[in-house]
Amino acid sequence: MAEKNYNAENIVVLEGLEAVRLRPGMYIGTTGSKGLHHILWEIVDNAMDEAANGYADAIAVIIYPDNSISVEDNGRGIPVDINKKHKKSGVELVFTILHAGGKFDNAEYKFSGGLHGVGASVTNALSQWLNVDIYRDGKAYKIEFHSPKYGKKVKSGIIKTPLTEVGKSKKRGTKVTFLPDPDVFATEVISFETVRNRLRELAFLNRNITLSVEDRRVLNDEGKHPKHVFCYKGGLVDFINYVNEAKTKQSNKVIYLEGASENFELQIAIQYTSHYGENIISYVNNIPTTDGGTHETGFKSALTKCLNEYARKNNLLKAKDTNVIGDDYRDGMTAILSVRMQNIQFEGQTKTKLGNPEIKGIVESLTSERLDLYLNDNRNKDIASLIVKAGINASKVREAERQAKDAQRKKNAMTGAVLVGKFSSCTGKNADVNELFIVEGDSAGGSTKQGRDRSFQAVLPLRGKPLNAEKKHKAQIIQNEEIRTIVYALGTDYDRDFNIADLKYDKVIILADADQDGAHIRAILLTFFYRYMRPLIAEGHLYIGMPPLYKIEKKGVVRYAHDDRELDTILADLKSGYVLQRYKGLGEMNGEQLWDTTLNPRKRTLLRVTIDDAAEADLVISTLMGDDVEMRRTFIFEHANFNKVDVFATKLAE
Ligand code: 28G
C-alpha cells in the first residue's frame, strides 16, 4: 500500500524534507538547544493559532523519559479529508509540505504566530518519528511519520502508517507526539524551565487559555512529576503584576488599553514602579520583539504627546515651561505591548525588531485615542496626575544628575592614576581580540594576573561588592568606586552616553567564585550591565567564566570538573587511585592552573550572557535586586548558583 503511494509528489516531499535535514540552520537557526526548542515551538504555535482564533482553550505539553514530547490541543482537529489539488489529507499536508516564510495563505486564521513560520513539516523532518492523533466528528484518527532517513530506505516516503480511523471518540482536538532526532540534535534535551517560561508567557498574552507542561522524566520532592498549569483571566494586567511583583509600586493601579483597526489589534498594560528607568516588553503575534521596533516607537510618541497635553490642560506645565521629554515620562514605567497583525517584517541582526513602517502611525493613533479617553476619565484623575508629576520631577532630577556627572568627569580626569594600582591592562591594542576579566577579590586577581596571556587579557580585580545598581540613582552609581573602575576600563561610558564603538574589549568576562558571595557579585554586575550597558549584552560581549570546581589527579595526570556530573564521569573513568580536591575559590588556584582551566581560550568554558527573554530577565534581576528581601534570598538560591546560570546565559561552544 505504502509502496504504491510512492509517486512523483512523494519524491518531491522527500526531497523537501531532506533539504531541511541537510541545512537545518536555514530553517531553525541552530541544531543546539535553541533549535531543539524551536521545533517544539512550531507545534505549540499551531496549537496556539487554533486557540487564539477561538477554537481551542487548552494546550498540554508532556515531556517523556525517552525525551519525546507531546502537545495536545482541544481544537477542531486537523482536517482528515482529502485535498483535491494535492490528493492528500489535510494532516499529511501540514506535516510534509514546507512553508517558506509566511504561514499558509492566512485564510484560516486572521493572525498567525510562529517564530519563523516554517511550520510543522520542519519538526517532522528533524524528528526520528512523529505521530498525530486527531479527534474529530466523533472519531479518532492516527497517522505516523518517520524520519526521511528511513523513508529513503523503505521507499515509503516518510509515512510509516497512513492516516487511519482507529475508533470512536467524544474528544475533539489534535495531539502531536514526536522524538527529536538525536542525529540532528546530538545530546541536547528539552529544558522544562524553558518550556514552562514560554507557556507562562503565552498564557499571559492569550487570556483564558490553559497551558500546561509536565516533565515525566523526573520526580519532585513529593514523588510526583513536575507540572505547571497557567491560565490568566486578566491577560496583560496579570502579566504586568507578575513582572513587577517584587518591585515597589508608585501606584498599584494598572492602566490597560486595547483597540483595533482593520486587520490590527493592540493591547497595552502600564504600571509605574519606584525603580529607575523604563522597562518596555513588546510582542507581535505572540513573538517577543526584544529589540522593539515601529510598534514601540508609535507607543512612545503617543504616550509623550498625551501626557504633555494633559499636563498643559491641567496647568501642571505652565506656559513658560518646556515640554517634558519622553524619557522622563517613562522613568519607572513598566509597559507591556502586544500587537497582532499580518505580514510581519522583522529587522536587525537577531530579527527581534518589528520593521513594518505603517505600524508606527497605527499604534500611535490608536494609543493616543485610548489613552486620552483614559486620562480624561474622572475615575483616573489620581493616576493621571501622579504620572505627569513624576515625569516633571524626573526631568528635574535628570538635570541635577547631568551636573553631578560633569563634575565627576572632571574629577575622574584628575584621579585616573588611582585605577592603575588594581587594573592591569593588556599590551595588545586590538579591541577585536582583547579580553577583560572582572575578578572577585585581590587573591584571585593576583592568580589571574599571573596566569593570563598579557598580550590580550586584561584583569580588573574587584575589592568590595559593587553597588546594587537597580535601586540607586545614576549620580550615586558612578560614585561607587568599583563601578567607576569598570566604566573607565571598558571605555564606553554608560547609560544614555554608552557607546559600543568605544568598547576596548571583545569579551568582558566575569570571574566569580562558585559560592553564594560569588553568585551575589555576579548578579549585581549583571544588573548593572543590564540596566546601564544593555547593548554590551545584546551584542554578545558579556560572558561568565567557568572555573572548575574539582581537581582530580591520578599518577601525575590532572583533570578538572566543572560540576558534579562531570566529576562523576571522570571518577567512573578513573575507577580508583586518584586524589580529589574541591576548590573553594579562585584564589586556591595558581596562575598556571587558572590558565589551563579558565583563561586559555582553547580549553576554557564560557557562558555568553544573553537577553533572550526581556520579561524573564527583568523579573530575575529585579527579584535579585528588588525590595523584597525574602524573595531575593529564594531567587539567589534558585537561580544564581553556578549550575543554574542558564537563567542569564546560554552555553557558548568555543
Ligand atoms: C497539538 C499540537 C499542535 C491544529 C488545526 C485545525 C485546523 C487546521 C490545525 O487546518 C489547514 C487545510 C488543508 C493545509 C481548520 C480544522 C479548519 C477546520 C482546521 C495543532 C492546511 C489546517 N478544521 N488544529 N489545522 N490545512 N492544531 N496542534 O496543530 O491544507 S493545526
Side-chain angles (χ1 to χ4, degrees):
M1 178 67 186
E3 197 86 21
K4 222 166 84 192
N5 275 341
Y6 196 62
N7 54 23
E9 192 165 352
N10 281 339
I11 294 172
V12 172
V13 162
L14 195 53
E15 283 172 355
L17 298 187
E18 276 176 333
V20 177
R21 291 181 66 82
L22 212 57
R23 290 206 175 73
M26 296 246 305
Y27 300 86
I28 57 165
T30 74
T31 52
S33 173
K34 220 171 167 177
L36 172 67
H37 289 86
H38 191 134
I39 68 166
L40 169 59
W41 306 145
E42 287 295 339
I43 304 299
V44 171
D45 283 342
N46 284 357
M48 240 3 265
D49 281 346
E50 189 70 356
N53 285 279
Y55 301 111
D57 66 1
I59 297 167
V61 177
I62 301 174
I63 312 166
Y64 300 93
D66 66 352
N67 285 311
S68 65
I69 310 134
S70 70
V71 182
E72 179 163 4
D73 69 43
N74 61 352
R76 293 165 297 178
I78 306 181
V80 291
D81 51 331
I82 304 296
N83 178 294
K84 286 202 184 75
K85 185 173 146 224
H86 295 273
K87 302 194 179 62
K88 286 181 179 180
S89 64
V91 55
E92 191 178 331
L93 293 176
V94 168
F95 286 93
T96 59
I97 306 291
L98 287 175
H99 308 288
K103 238 182 197 182
F104 303 98
D105 48 12
N106 270 332
E108 262 115 22
Y109 302 122
K110 197 165 172 199
F111 308 114
S112 184
L115 223 45
H116 302 87
V118 288
S121 56
V122 167
T123 306
N124 197 10
L126 300 176
S127 293
Q128 194 167 308
W129 51 262
L130 182 147
N131 300 338
V132 189
D133 294 289
I134 293 163
Y135 310 100
R136 216 183 138 94
D137 305 325
K139 297 186 187 109
Y141 302 85
K142 175 177 94 169
I143 181 167
E144 296 182 329
F145 302 91
H146 54 191
S147 162
K149 71 183 174 191
Y150 305 123
K152 235 188 167 163
K153 279 184 230 142
V154 298
K155 285 233 164 200
S156 58
I158 68 157
I159 293 187
K160 186 167 166 240
T161 312
L163 182 63
T164 25
E165 195 185 311
V166 289
K168 290 186 180 163
S169 175
K170 290 202 177 97
K171 281 215 284 194
R172 239 170 41 100
T174 304
K175 180 180 179 183
V176 178
T177 313
F178 63 101
L179 179 68
D181 193 338
D183 285 357
V184 178
F185 298 106
T187 54
E188 296 290 354
V189 291
I190 291 284
S191 147
F192 180 63
E193 281 76 27
T194 303
V195 178
R196 179 199 62 191
N197 293 348
R198 176 63 179 152
L199 295 192
R200 184 199 291 121
E201 183 177 49
L202 284 171
F204 281 130
L205 292 168
N206 303 273
R207 59 182 161 229
N208 292 323
I209 294 174
T210 304
L211 292 124
S212 68
V213 54
E214 182 180 343
D215 193 347
R216 297 250 173 103
R217 295 171 299 189
V218 290
L219 295 173
N220 59 21
D221 295 344
E222 284 107 57
K224 295 196 178 110
H225 298 303
K227 182 173 177 177
H228 286 280
V229 184
F230 303 109
C231 181
Y232 302 101
K233 288 187 173 56
L236 294 194
V237 175
D238 290 342
F239 197 170
I240 212 162
N241 281 323
Y242 173 81
V243 169
N244 286 340
E245 191 171 355
K247 295 181 182 171
T248 309
K249 265 72 84 177
Q250 288 190 48
S251 159
N252 282 324
K253 230 177 196 171
V254 176
I255 301 173
Y256 178 75
L257 311 169
E258 62 181 11
S261 64
E262 202 184 328
N263 291 330
F264 185 86
E265 288 173 18
L266 166 78
Q267 298 180 308
I268 298 173
I270 304 169
Q271 190 174 50
Y272 277 80
T273 73
S274 310
H275 287 239
Y276 169 77
E278 69 183 49
N279 181 21
I280 303 181
I281 304 166
S282 67
Y283 298 86
V284 179
N285 294 6
N286 291 335
I287 307 164
T289 34
T290 323
D291 289 328
T294 48
H295 54 335
E296 278 193 19
T297 315
F299 163 68
K300 287 185 198 172
S301 309
L303 187 84
T304 311
K305 192 189 85 183
C306 289
L307 293 178
N308 272 324
E309 272 173 22
Y310 183 91
R312 300 252 171 235
K313 217 167 87 186
N314 292 279
N315 218 21
L316 297 166
L317 278 180
K318 309 278 183 312
K320 64 171 175 41
D321 298 329
T322 53
N323 271 349
V324 171
I325 64 167
D327 273 348
D328 293 333
Y329 278 132
R330 297 194 299 275
D331 195 16
M333 180 190 78
T334 305
I336 305 177
L337 178 62
S338 170
V339 305
R340 295 179 204 275
M341 55 178 278
Q342 296 182 337
N343 308 318
I344 322 174
Q345 289 157 22
F346 286 115
E347 274 184 354
Q349 245 187 353
T350 50
K351 299 277 174 254
T352 47
K353 185 173 181 181
L354 181 67
N356 302 58
E358 74 280 7
I359 296 303
K360 177 180 182 286
I362 298 177
V363 172
E364 188 172 343
S365 63
L366 262 181
T367 307
S368 293
E369 185 192 311
R370 298 301 141 119
L371 189 56
D372 269 341
L373 285 175
Y374 185 95
L375 295 172
N376 293 311
D377 184 328
N378 245 335
R379 289 168 296 183
N380 303 322
K381 223 178 147 99
D382 53 343
I383 183 90
S385 81
L386 183 144
I387 295 170
V388 171
K389 282 178 186 161
I392 294 170
N393 187 47
S395 85
K396 287 182 185 145
V397 170
R398 184 169 47 83
E399 181 52 29
E401 276 172 349
R402 196 185 58 75
Q403 288 172 11
K405 200 173 168 184
D406 279 353
Q408 191 65 55
R409 271 223 188 85
K410 289 197 188 103
K411 203 170 137 200
N412 274 358
M414 291 184 291
T415 57
V418 178
L419 306 172
V420 178
K422 30 201 293 193
F423 172 57
S424 302
S425 64
C426 48
T427 53
K429 292 280 169 260
N430 188 351
D432 293 334
V433 300
N434 283 353
E435 304 180 342
L436 175 70
F437 286 89
I438 301 176
V439 188
E440 171 193 358
D442 276 341
S443 81
S447 305
T448 313
K449 282 179 197 174
Q450 274 171 12
R452 68 175 170 151
D453 179 340
R454 63 168 58 237
S455 72
F456 72 102
Q457 295 181 319
V459 184
L460 174 59
L462 295 183
R463 289 222 178 97
K465 273 191 188 168
L467 188 87
N468 174 347
E470 167 97 5
K471 286 206 274 192
K472 305 289 185 279
H473 256 276
K474 268 187 306 177
Q476 288 169 282
I477 301 258
I478 202 62
Q479 273 159 24
N480 176 270
E481 197 174 312
E482 308 299 324
I483 295 285
R484 200 149 55 88
T485 322
I486 293 172
V487 175
Y488 173 83
L490 262 57
T492 53
D493 213 323
Y494 70 111
D495 200 52
R496 273 177 210 137
D497 302 320
F498 179 84
N499 186 357
I500 195 105
D502 294 332
L503 181 61
K504 293 193 206 151
Y505 303 93
D506 177 58
K507 293 188 174 66
V508 176
I509 302 163
I510 301 171
L511 267 191
D513 287 338
D515 56 15
Q516 286 299 303
D517 249 13
H520 195 195
I521 288 188
R522 194 167 46 245
I524 291 174
L525 288 172
L526 285 175
T527 313
F528 171 74
F529 289 121
Y530 178 77
R531 289 272 149 192
Y532 297 101
M533 297 188 174
R534 203 174 290 189
L536 186 80
I537 306 180
E539 298 190 19
H541 293 290
L542 187 63
Y543 297 81
I544 290 171
M546 295 285 279
L549 263 184
Y550 300 101
K551 176 182 164 194
I552 312 104
E553 190 168 351
K554 183 176 175 176
K555 295 185 184 141
V557 182
V558 179
R559 294 169 75 173
Y560 298 96
H562 288 93
D563 54 36
D564 290 345
R565 219 178 61 183
E566 244 181 276
L567 177 68
D568 289 346
T569 317
I570 293 173
L571 294 189
D573 188 31
L574 295 177
K575 295 193 180 69
S576 64
Y578 53 78
V579 181
L580 175 66
Q581 183 191 350
R582 188 181 203 284
Y583 290 122
K584 282 193 249 357
L586 283 161
E588 286 183 20
M589 269 181 266
N590 63 33
E592 198 186 335
Q593 289 170 331
L594 209 54
W595 168 256
D596 278 343
T597 58
T598 315
L599 306 178
N600 182 352
R602 293 176 185 282
K603 296 190 188 167
R604 71 187 177 196
T605 306
L606 289 184
L607 299 172
R608 176 183 266 156
V609 180
T610 66
I611 318 173
D612 224 5
D613 176 343
E616 186 70 13
D618 185 72
L619 174 77
V620 171
I621 283 166
S622 59
T623 315
L624 282 171
M625 299 303 148
D627 307 328
D628 184 331
V629 178
E630 190 47 45
M631 230 176 139
R632 177 163 68 220
R633 206 168 284 144
T634 337
F635 251 80
I636 290 182
F637 189 73
E638 277 183 12
H639 295 284
N641 59 47
F642 259 87
N643 303 324
K644 285 211 174 178
V645 254
D646 67 301
V647 177
F648 311 103
T650 51
K651 195 165 174 176
L652 176 82
E654 277 204 299

